[in-house]
Amino acid sequence: MRIGLISDVHGNLSALRAVMRKMRRTDMILCAGDLTGFCVRPAKVISIVRRRKIRSVLGDCDSAVVSGSLDGLPEEIKEACAWTGRKL
């Protein structure tokens, strides 16, 4: 069985698509978290992950976006996660 691993996509749709093209021959893809965060296409990234049934854990940026709790994150990450939360 071939297993692919992705992480820290942070809403970067073009990077995710490039990696997915390289993983066409995998039987399963897992995600180590942080699908959301810095880049501007979080909804599309999440849509691809759902459609491909990629199992994922919650990264710190994902958690901040979902919960709205930005405590403990650097200021620039807080701003990005708050924007992502509003966008989603």
Side-chain angles (χ1 to χ4, degrees), residues 11-54:
N12 188 334
L13 180 60
S14 59
L16 178 62
R17 285 181 171 158
V19 169
M20 292 287 104
R21 282 192 296 274
K22 297 287 186 181
M23 292 188 172
R24 285 190 176 140
R25 296 180 58 200
T26 58
D27 299 306
M28 175 190 299
I29 299 173
L30 303 173
C31 178
D34 282 336
L35 291 169
T36 64
F38 309 116
C39 296
V40 298
R41 301 297 301 269
K44 186 64 176 171
V45 165
I46 291 168
S47 174
I48 289 170
V49 168
R50 284 182 173 166
R51 188 175 68 247
R52 301 273 314 256
K53 297 184 175 151
I54 296 172

